[in-house]
Amino acid sequence: MRKAIIAGNWKMNKTMAETKETISALAPLVKDADCDVVLCVPFTDIQAAKKAARGTNIKIGAQNVHWAEKGAFTGEISADMLKELKVDYVIIGHSERRQYFGETDETVNKRTQAALNARIKPIVCVGETESEREDGLTEKVLERQIVEGLKGFKSKDFDKIVIAYEPVWAIGTGKTATAQDANETIGYIRKVLAKKFHKTIGEKARIQYGGSMNVKNCKELMAQEHIDGGLIGGASLKADDFAYIVNYNK
Ligand code: PGA
């Protein structure tokens, strides 16, 4: 049985004071969650978030990590730096990073390796754009992102790697893939993992859905066989909404 993981992606939102306020409000609401509960916060909020989440079941993640140990990479953060802050998860290859910051399958691969080396669990994002979908390229794009992005990883690495399927056209737009569509596509990702990596990985990998998941649609999405939770943007900024999604099966 795969354990669901509900992760908030705060993107470039919240000051330290707001971080403390949100986590203090959230903690009592999610304390009995059956799933893993994660908040991926801006780098500058990590310490405040760790402090606010101390003694709770909320894990803290970052939103990016560089692959080099150290050096002349202005504006970047290394895996060791995150490790020192005791970060548990890190989002890698989010579509906003692919779109605005030149992230590629190759950099996704290197960042994922760096995270694993530092014992930080990577949440690796994949997903097709609207035009790729319209051109019938969804499966081809996903296969490339999975095969190239996760090239070289072994079965045991998939105990740590979480995959987030986020159709780009559904992110922050209010458009969601139908639960059936999302389930089918994630089922396809499982087939790719089984075929290109190892047959057991298709079944054991944890794969989230992301893209306008909210209090209204979370139950139906999460009820799907292949979906193991969600990566939640907008709806993770409000403690009440995020808690509702975390407690979806109650
Ligand atoms: P959204 O973002 O829930 O606001 O669509 C999801 C994400 O980008 O991870």
Side-chain angles (χ1 to χ4, degrees):
M1 266 302 276
R2 301 180 301 258
K3 190 173 185 192
I5 166 170
I6 308 288
N9 174 11
W10 279 5
K11 309 191 181 187
M12 198 173 71
N13 289 292
K14 294 197 189 283
T15 62
M16 284 200 285
E18 289 164 344
T19 297
K20 189 174 163 216
E21 201 180 305
T22 308
I23 295 180
S24 306
L26 180 67
L29 305 177
V30 299
K31 66 178 179 7
D32 298 321
D34 290 334
C35 57
D36 288 333
V37 184
V38 182
L39 287 176
C40 296
V41 305
F43 291 131
T44 48
D45 291 335
I46 290 173
Q47 270 188 302
K50 285 293 295 187
K51 195 168 162 207
R54 199 176 292 154
T56 75
N57 56 336
I58 301 169
K59 304 278 186 229
I60 302 302
Q63 299 172 11
N64 191 19
V65 63
H66 198 265
W67 55 87
E69 236 169 80
K70 57 180 158 186
F73 299 102
T74 303
E76 291 287 327
I77 301 282
S78 78
D80 276 351
M81 293 169 182
L82 294 180
K83 191 176 166 183
E84 194 177 22
L85 295 173
K86 300 198 164 50
V87 159
D88 295 291
Y89 289 85
V90 60
I91 296 174
I92 292 173
H94 188 277
S95 65
E96 284 148 20
R97 296 220 53 93
R98 293 182 191 255
Q99 197 179 343
Y100 306 130
F101 302 100
E103 196 80 58
T104 63
D105 297 329
E106 191 191 343
T107 58
V108 166
N109 189 272
K110 292 202 267 188
R111 292 184 203 275
T112 304
Q113 187 63 66
L116 287 174
N117 290 348
R119 298 178 194 283
I120 299 169
K121 296 183 187 79
I123 299 177
V124 178
C125 302
V126 297
E128 80 287 0
T129 62
E130 188 152 35
S131 66
E132 287 164 344
R133 189 174 187 89
E134 278 163 6
D135 293 344
L137 296 173
T138 300
E139 293 193 347
K140 202 167 162 215
V141 168
L142 290 173
E143 175 164 344
R144 192 205 71 225
Q145 290 176 337
I146 292 283
V147 170
E148 297 300 317
L150 299 176
K151 188 155 62 186
F153 294 111
K154 301 277 178 295
S155 180
K156 68 169 182 7
D157 298 324
F158 285 87
D159 297 338
K160 307 236 166 56
I161 296 171
V162 176
I163 296 170
Y165 166 59
E166 300 203 304
V168 179
W169 48 271
I171 294 177
T173 56
K175 292 187 210 166
T176 343
T178 65
Q180 291 71 23
D181 259 3
N183 188 52
E184 229 172 80
T185 310
I186 292 179
Y188 173 74
I189 294 173
R190 295 197 183 285
K191 271 197 211 139
V192 172
L193 289 168
K195 194 164 117 209
K196 301 283 181 176
F197 292 83
H198 189 275
K199 58 179 185 305
T200 56
I201 297 173
E203 266 177 35
K204 83 169 173 181
R206 293 203 289 175
I207 310 183
Q208 306 172 298
Y209 169 79
S212 297
M213 197 190 262
N214 57 37
V215 296
K216 291 211 183 82
N217 58 30
C218 65
K219 281 198 184 155
E220 198 189 354
L221 284 160
M222 240 84 86
Q224 304 297 317
E225 170 192 0
H226 293 304
I227 302 180
D228 305 323
L231 183 56
I232 326 285
S236 72
L237 296 171
K238 286 200 209 129
D240 285 350
D241 285 5
F242 190 60
Y244 185 92
I245 298 171
V246 165
N247 295 320
Y248 68 95
N249 56 357
K250 293 237 158 59

